[in-house]
Amino acid sequence: MSNLQLTAEGKLKHFLTIEGLSKNILTEILDTAESFVGNADQQIKKVPLLRGKTIVNLFFENSTRTRTTFELAAKRLSADVLSMSIATSSTSKGESLLDTIRNLEAMFVDMFVVRHAISGAAHFIAQQTAPHISVINAGDGQHAHPTQAMLDMFTIRQFKKDFSNLRVAIIGDILHSRVARSQIQALNTLGVAEVRVIAPKTLLPAHVETLGVSVSHNLTEGLQDIDVIIMLRLQRERMTSALLPSESEYFKCFGLTESKLKIAKPDAIVMHPGPINRGVEIDSKVADGAQSVILKQVSNGIAVRMAIMSMAMQPQGVY
Amino acid sequence: MSLENLEINPLINQLESSLKQVILERNLVNPLMIGIRTGGVWIAEALHQRLNISEPLGLLDISFYRDDFSQMGMHPNVKPSQLPPHIEGCDLILVDDVFHTGRTIRAALNEIFDYGRPNQVVLAVLIERDGKQIPISPDCVGTKIKLNPNQRIKLTGPAPLTIQLIEADVVSSKS
């Protein structure tokens, strides 16, 4: 299944999930992204790599940061980009996903960037679409959000240089988080010393240990020896049952405050994929504090998405 | 010049004196020097020292500006370019090891102009070989040579810096 992402020569063709991708490919993405960071210093913030290519952002689910950074990344690669928000499209008139794809293919597009509330939507499109088209998963249901995971890996490497000795804590709503799943896979592939998930039992998937993580249900204990803290948003919109007593109760037990942050290593960095619920999972003083790299993550998102898009658009042997 | 005995030092000497003359003729003021990765950077490092240029050497990786992305894909070892922040209005000396088709220089100029509009650009190359495909030529050269289509020049470095003539069945048109 994951081989769908690679060409016969082992090059990236689609980017759907971290699962099944080697350490070499992940490292190549990070290295390539490194060279795109300087693009922001150019007077003309563009490189001509994808000139003449057409990229369609298909967002079946709301997004601000991800859609904007994908759009900017495509534009800085000189591609023509079209962002479709599905509330205004034919899908709301009853057109099937496949028909939408077939129609866009008929307009000679080269890449789909897909966000969908159903897990596997991007895989489905990658299987069905014409062979010259690349598909990038911008988040599917609770399954995967691989570009977010890669920009997080990029940010970690920027501050910590080497993955091998790192202890990384992922804190909060793991159950509903596609970001956490992709992060765990990426961190383990890149070979960190430990991935620790910290959450109440109700917000952890069953058998979470099988993902290759250690588990803690106590923030004060769990933060010890930690180099990288990744906070997750409490996804109230995906909660269909009463998993938590209240937001204030959650903040008391699992919210990251200045005093809790002191338990981690003194040079620990604080990350959050956004959007932030201030005062729910993270205190404003921490989110805006000296150890926070949250806005750095946003900037890095452009360079990492430029790297992934250009790598997937390399010649695929179908011309 | 015998192709088998390419000595690098006389070529750098020749390039240096040719460059000094062009700096005078074209009246370059506090020029910035930029080397094209990888071989061009090694030559530029030598020239930068010999000409006593005060501004730090700029490094250019043209991978994102190549015109063969749709045939060849991404260069696997792309590195960030490090250009000085004040290209606008400056006099530049662009340095490469081998001038062949001219396409590398086209890509380099495109990248430089995305950082700003220089006042003038002088192109200095160690070796100009035949095979030009676009209307770009170097201003200063260490030497000019004619090669068979299956021959190419390979620079190894940074220390010691040596040049070799390589014969291959398939030759890419990189330079």
Side-chain angles (χ1 to χ4, degrees), chain A residues 19 166-170 174 180-198 204-216:
Chain A
E19 206 181 342
L166 292 184
R167 295 187 188 281
V168 182
I170 305 177
I174 315 280
R181 277 169 189 72
S182 291
Q183 284 168 340
I184 292 167
Q185 287 162 353
L187 288 165
N188 283 327
T189 306
L190 291 167
V192 295
E194 183 189 357
V195 183
R196 199 179 298 169
V197 296
I198 308 173
L204 284 172
H207 311 298
V208 64
E209 303 82 2
T210 57
L211 299 174
V213 297
S214 57
V215 182
S216 167

Side-chain angles (χ1 to χ4, degrees), chain B residues 61-135:
Chain B
D61 190 312
I62 56 132
S63 299
F64 296 148
Y65 287 78
R66 295 177 67 95
D67 60 8
D68 55 5
F69 175 76
S70 60
Q71 288 107 48
M72 311 280 289
M74 189 89 85
H75 193 277
N77 296 314
V78 52
K79 299 264 187 341
S81 290
Q82 293 164 22
L83 290 188
H86 47 280
I87 292 272
E88 186 81 24
C90 278
D91 291 340
L92 303 184
I93 301 167
L94 183 60
V95 181
D96 205 2
D97 50 357
V98 180
F99 182 93
H100 181 199
T101 61
R103 290 175 192 270
T104 297
I105 305 305
R106 198 277 315 164
L109 289 173
N110 278 18
E111 179 160 359
I112 288 169
F113 277 70
D114 279 356
Y115 280 82
R117 181 182 183 273
N119 181 44
Q120 46 177 332
V121 184
V122 165
L123 175 59
V125 301
L126 191 67
I127 299 169
E128 180 183 4
R129 66 160 290 185
D130 56 322
K132 183 164 114 159
Q133 292 173 346
I134 50 176

Side-chain angles (χ1 to χ4, degrees), chain A residues 11 28 31-32 34-36 38-39 41-50 307 310-311 313-315 319, chain B residues 63-66 69-76 78-81 88 106 110-111 113-117:
Chain A
K11 295 227 173 190
E28 193 186 335
D31 290 346
T32 307
E34 199 94 53
S35 296
F36 283 120
N39 184 252
D41 301 331
Q42 293 181 205
Q43 203 174 66
I44 296 165
K45 295 180 183 51
K46 260 183 191 296
V47 296
L49 275 184
L50 298 188
S310 50
M311 283 171 65
M313 292 285 255
Q314 293 184 86
Y319 292 95
Chain B
S63 299
F64 296 148
Y65 287 78
R66 295 177 67 95
F69 175 76
S70 60
Q71 288 107 48
M72 311 280 289
M74 189 89 85
H75 193 277
V78 52
K79 299 264 187 341
S81 290
E88 186 81 24
R106 198 277 315 164
N110 278 18
E111 179 160 359
F113 277 70
D114 279 356
Y115 280 82
R117 181 182 183 273

Side-chain angles (χ1 to χ4, degrees), chain A residues 24-93:
Chain A
N24 278 351
I25 289 213
L26 300 193
T27 308
E28 193 186 335
I29 292 173
L30 299 180
D31 290 346
T32 307
E34 199 94 53
S35 296
F36 283 120
V37 170
N39 184 252
D41 301 331
Q42 293 181 205
Q43 203 174 66
I44 296 165
K45 295 180 183 51
K46 260 183 191 296
V47 296
L49 275 184
L50 298 188
R51 212 151 58 97
K53 302 283 185 191
T54 306
I55 297 176
V56 180
N57 283 342
L58 275 174
F59 277 65
F60 296 87
E61 213 186 41
N62 287 335
S63 159
T64 314
R65 230 171 326 275
T66 305
R67 204 198 58 208
T68 321
T69 48
F70 261 115
E71 201 170 316
L72 277 177
K75 287 181 172 170
R76 290 185 183 170
L77 289 166
S78 306
D80 294 304
V81 55
L82 172 72
S83 283
M84 292 184 60
S85 176
I86 297 313
T88 57
S89 82
S90 302
T91 312
S92 56
K93 299 179 192 164

